[in-house]
C-alpha cells in the first residue's frame, strides 16, 4: 500500500525535496484549541462535575486532587495531579512487564536552553494552533475563512462549550438520567486537553531537532469530542507529504524517536516502548501531565477521522453521552482493549454511530454521503479541520431517550446485526455485505474505517474473545431491558471515581 522509501536518516528529506514541497509551510507549527498562557496553565485547577444523584443517593465526595510542581526539561514548574508513576491500573497495566528495548539514561546539561514552558506556551495574543485558519496566525493569513454558521466549533475556540452551557438532552427517566450524569462527570475537561497539548508542544520542539520539517498532531478522542478524563493521548508525527512504509520507514523513524525519549527526555518521558503493530507506535507516559500517549508516523487517516467524528459529536446532542457510557461499559467488562484481542475505543465509537444511523427513524445521517466535499479523503491536510465548520445540526424526528437508545444499542448487536455476513459501515450508514478481501476474511467482527476502508476491529481474531463480546451485549441488553438501571451493568461509583 505504501511505497518503500530510501529517505531515511538525517536529515529526513534531501534538500531538493524540501525546496520542491511547500506542504509543511502550510501546516501549523503547533496544535489545538484554546491554549492557555503559561501562568494560566500553572494556575489551572481540576473542575470535577457533580454527580451526587447518580447512584440514587448522595455520592461520596471525591477527594481533592493534590497539585505538585513538575517540569519539562529544566523549565519552570507546571502543576499536575499527584498521580503515581505507574500506569494507574487502567487497560495498559498488562504491558508494564514488557522489557525496555533501550536502557534509559539521564543527561543533566549545564547549558540548558530557554525555559521550555516559555517557548511552548505563548501568551494569549501569540497563540499558535494545531491547524491553520485563524487570522491570528501569521503563517496562514492568506487562508482567511468567512464567517460560518455550522454547529462544529472552530479549534481556535474551546473544543466544546463549557459543560454547564452545553445543550444536553432532557432526561425524564432514571436510566437516561444516569447516562447523562455519568457523561457530565467523566467527559474530558479543557484542563485535561491543555495538559496533553503542553506535552505535544514540547515533544514537537524536541522531535524537530531530528526531523526539522516534521509536525506533531494531537488526534483521536482528545479532539473528536468523545474523550474522557482518563483518555489516553494519540499523536501523529507527520514527517512528509508522501505515504510512509509502515513496516520499514515508520519503524525506523519511531526507533529514533524512542531513543530520544529514552535518553535526552527520560526525565519526563516514562518507559517508551516501540510496538511493532500493523501501524507501529511508540507508547509512553508523560510524567508531567500524567497522560499515556501513543505516537505513530504519518498515519494521517487519524487526522481525517478525528474531524469526521468531531462533526458527528456536534450535530446531535445524544451522541456524546451515548458513546461515553458505551466506552465505560466496555472497559468495565474488559472488552475495550485491542492489544488483548477485544474492541478498540475507535471501533466502539463507530459501532454506536452505525446503530444511530440504522434506526427506523435515523438519529444520524452519513456525513460523507451528505457532505462529500467536506470529508474528501484526498483533501489537503491543512484544510481538514475547516470543512466541518459549515455543517448544520441534524434534526431527527426520532425522540428516543438516552436510556431507550442504550437498551436498543445492546439489543441491535445482541439480536439483529449479522456478525457472520455483515460489515459495519458508517460511511454508507448501513450494514454492508462483508467484502471478500484478506482484510475481512476469517475475521469475527468487521468495522469499516470510514476513509481508508480497513477493518478497525481486526484485533478480534480469537473466537473465544468474540464469544465473550457477544455474550456481554446479550446479557447487558436483557438486564437493562428488565431493570432499567445502569448500575446493573456498570459499577457507577467506581467508574465515577476513576473518571
Amino acid at each position: 500500500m505504501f511505497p518503500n522509501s530510501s529517505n531515511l536518516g538525517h536529515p529526513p528529506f534531501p534538500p531538493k525535496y524540501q525546496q520542491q514541497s511547500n506542504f509543511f509551510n502550510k501546516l501549523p507549527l503547533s496544535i489545538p484549541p484554546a491554549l492557555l498562557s503559561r501562568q494560566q496553565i500553572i494556575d489551572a485547577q481540576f473542575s470535577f462535575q457533580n454527580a451526587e444523584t447518580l447512584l440514587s443517593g448522595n455520592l461520596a465526595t471525591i477527594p481533592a486532587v493534590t497539585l505538585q510542581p513538575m517540569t519539562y526539561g529544566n523549565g519552570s514548574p507546571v502543576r499536575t495531579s499527584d498521580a503515581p508513576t505507574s500506569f494507574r491500573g487502567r487497560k495498559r497495566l498488562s504491558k508494564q512487564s514488557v522489557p525496555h528495548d533501550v536502557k534509559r539514561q539521564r543527561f543533566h546539561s549545564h547549558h540548558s536552553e530557554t525555559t521550555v514552558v516559555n517557548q511552548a506556551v505563548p501568551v494569549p495574543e501569540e497563540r499558535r494552533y494545531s491547524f491553520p485558519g485563524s487570522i491570528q496566525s501569521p503563517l496562514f493569513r492568506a487562508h482567511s475563512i468567512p464567517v460560518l454558521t455550522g454547529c462544529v466549533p472552530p479549534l481556535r475556540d474551546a473544543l466544546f462549550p463549557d459543560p454547564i452551557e452545553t445543550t444536553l438532552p432532557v432526561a425524564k427517566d432514571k436510566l437516561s438520567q444516569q447516562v447523562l450524569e455519568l457523561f457530565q462527570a467523566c467527559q474530558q475537561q479543557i484542563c485535561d486537553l491543555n495538559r496533553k497539548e503542553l506535552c505535544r508542544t514540547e515533544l514537537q520542539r524536541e522531535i524537530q531537532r531530528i526531523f526539522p520539517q516534521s509536525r506533531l498532531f494531537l488526534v483521536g478522542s482528545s479532539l473528536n469530542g468523545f474523550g474522557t478524563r482518563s483518555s489516553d493521548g494519540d499523536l501523529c508525527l507527520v514527517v512528509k507529504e508522501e505515504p510512509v512504509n509502515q513496516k520499514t520507514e515508520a519503524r525506523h523513524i519511531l526507533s529514533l524517536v524512542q531513543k530520544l525519549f529514552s535518553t535526552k527526555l527520560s526525565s519526563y518521558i516514562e518507559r517508551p516502548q516501540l510496538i511493532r503493530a500493523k501501524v507501529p507506535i511508540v507508547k509512553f507516559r508523560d510524567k508531567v501531565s500524567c497522560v499515556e500517549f501513543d505516537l505513530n508516523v504519518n498515519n494521517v487517516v487519524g487526522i481525517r477521522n478525528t474531524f469526521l467524528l468531531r462533526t458527528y459529536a456536534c450535530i446531535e446532542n445524544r451522541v456524546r453521552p451515548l458513546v461515553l457510557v458505551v466506552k465505560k461499559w466496555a472497559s468495565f467488562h474488559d472488552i475495550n482493549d485491542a492489544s488483548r484481542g477485544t474492541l478498540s475505543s475507535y471501533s466502539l465509537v463507530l459501532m454506536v454511530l452505525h446503530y444511530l444511523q440504522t434506526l427506523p427513524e435515523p438519529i444520524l445521517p452519513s456525513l460523507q454521503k451528505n457532505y462529500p466535499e467536506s470529508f474528501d479523503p484526498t483533501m489537503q491536510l491543512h484544510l481538514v479541520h475547516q470543512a466541518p465548520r459549515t455543517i448544520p445540526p441534524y434534526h431527527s424526528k426520532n425522540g428516543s431517550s438516552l436510556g431507550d437508545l442504550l437498551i436498543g444499542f445492546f439489543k441491535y448487536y445482541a439480536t439483529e446485526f449479522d456478525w457472520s455476513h455483515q460489515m459495519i459501515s458508517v460511511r454508507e450508514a448501513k450494514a454492508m455485505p462483508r467484502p471478500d478481501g484478506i482484510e475481512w476474511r476469517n475475521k469475527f467482527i468487521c468495522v469499516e474505517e470510514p476513509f481508508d476502508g480497513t477493518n478497525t476491529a481486526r484485533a478480534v481474531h480469537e473466537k473465544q474473545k468474540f464469544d465473550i463480546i457477544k455474550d456481554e451485549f446479550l446479557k447487558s441488553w436483557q438486564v437493562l431491558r428488565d431493570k432499567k438501571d445502569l448500575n446493573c451493568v456498570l459499577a457507577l461509583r467506581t467508574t465515577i471515581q476513576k473518571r
Side-chain angles (χ1 to χ4, degrees), residues 174-220:
K174 177 181 177 180
L175 180 57
S176 297
Q177 187 67 28
Q178 289 174 321
V179 171
L180 197 57
E181 291 177 346
L182 178 66
F183 169 71
Q184 290 177 295
C186 296
Q187 65 174 321
Q188 178 179 257
Q189 303 295 314
I190 295 299
C191 60
D192 303 324
L193 178 61
N194 282 321
R195 288 198 302 274
K196 296 175 184 177
E197 163 59 14
L198 185 62
C199 179
R200 185 216 62 80
T201 306
E202 169 62 12
L203 291 182
Q204 176 174 268
R205 175 177 171 271
E206 294 292 343
I207 291 173
Q208 284 178 340
R209 299 178 189 277
I210 305 175
F211 303 102
Q213 301 299 313
S214 65
R215 294 291 182 269
L216 190 61
F217 293 90
L218 187 61
V219 297

Side-chain angles (χ1 to χ4, degrees), residues 73 104-107 202-203 205-207 209 257 259-270 272 285-287:
R104 292 183 300 170
Q105 304 174 37
R106 293 181 182 270
F107 296 92
E202 169 62 12
L203 291 182
R205 175 177 171 271
E206 294 292 343
I207 291 173
R209 299 178 189 277
V257 171
K259 184 176 181 180
L260 172 69
F261 289 179
S262 301
T263 54
K264 183 179 179 182
L265 307 186
S266 62
S267 62
Y268 62 89
I269 298 299
E270 187 175 46
R285 181 177 182 271
D286 171 36
K287 289 188 281 189

Side-chain angles (χ1 to χ4, degrees), residues 12 36 127 131 137 141 176 188 197 232 236 244 256 260 264 302 324 337 339 342 359 376 393 412 427 430 434 474:
L36 301 181
R127 290 174 183 169
F131 292 88
S137 177
R141 282 175 181 154
S176 297
Q188 178 179 257
E197 163 59 14
D232 296 347
C236 178
V244 165
L256 299 177
L260 172 69
K264 183 179 179 182
L324 186 142
D337 190 347
S339 70
T342 57
L359 292 167
D376 183 349
Y412 177 73
R427 177 179 54 87
K430 61 183 179 181
R434 278 197 183 203
L474 180 60

Side-chain angles (χ1 to χ4, degrees), residues 142-299:
H143 301 287
S144 59
I145 301 174
V147 176
L148 302 175
T149 58
C151 65
V152 183
L155 278 186
R156 64 175 177 269
D157 298 325
L159 267 184
F160 294 95
D162 185 86
I164 298 175
E165 299 175 359
T166 300
T167 302
L168 295 173
V170 177
K172 296 181 179 180
D173 59 275
K174 177 181 177 180
L175 180 57
S176 297
Q177 187 67 28
Q178 289 174 321
V179 171
L180 197 57
E181 291 177 346
L182 178 66
F183 169 71
Q184 290 177 295
C186 296
Q187 65 174 321
Q188 178 179 257
Q189 303 295 314
I190 295 299
C191 60
D192 303 324
L193 178 61
N194 282 321
R195 288 198 302 274
K196 296 175 184 177
E197 163 59 14
L198 185 62
C199 179
R200 185 216 62 80
T201 306
E202 169 62 12
L203 291 182
Q204 176 174 268
R205 175 177 171 271
E206 294 292 343
I207 291 173
Q208 284 178 340
R209 299 178 189 277
I210 305 175
F211 303 102
Q213 301 299 313
S214 65
R215 294 291 182 269
L216 190 61
F217 293 90
L218 187 61
V219 297
S221 62
S222 299
L223 289 187
N224 65 23
F226 298 118
T228 66
R229 302 223 61 178
S230 58
S231 290
D232 296 347
D234 295 299
L235 297 168
C236 178
L237 177 63
V238 180
V239 297
K240 62 179 181 179
E241 187 172 4
E242 293 84 4
V244 165
N245 187 302
Q246 294 292 319
K247 289 185 178 180
T248 56
E249 190 174 4
R251 289 185 182 181
H252 177 78
I253 293 169
L254 288 173
S255 69
L256 299 177
V257 171
Q258 182 196 29
K259 184 176 181 180
L260 172 69
F261 289 179
S262 301
T263 54
K264 183 179 179 182
L265 307 186
S266 62
S267 62
Y268 62 89
I269 298 299
E270 187 175 46
R271 295 192 297 273
Q273 301 170 9
L274 176 57
I275 308 297
R276 293 172 172 82
K278 181 177 180 180
V279 177
I281 59 173
V282 167
K283 186 182 299 292
F284 63 95
R285 181 177 182 271
D286 171 36
K287 289 188 281 189
V288 178
S289 65
C290 297
V291 173
E292 299 164 41
F293 287 91
D294 293 343
L295 186 153
N296 69 71
V297 173
N298 266 65
N299 187 35

Side-chain angles (χ1 to χ4, degrees), residues 139 271 418 470:
L139 289 177
R271 295 192 297 273
D418 186 349
K470 286 198 305 179

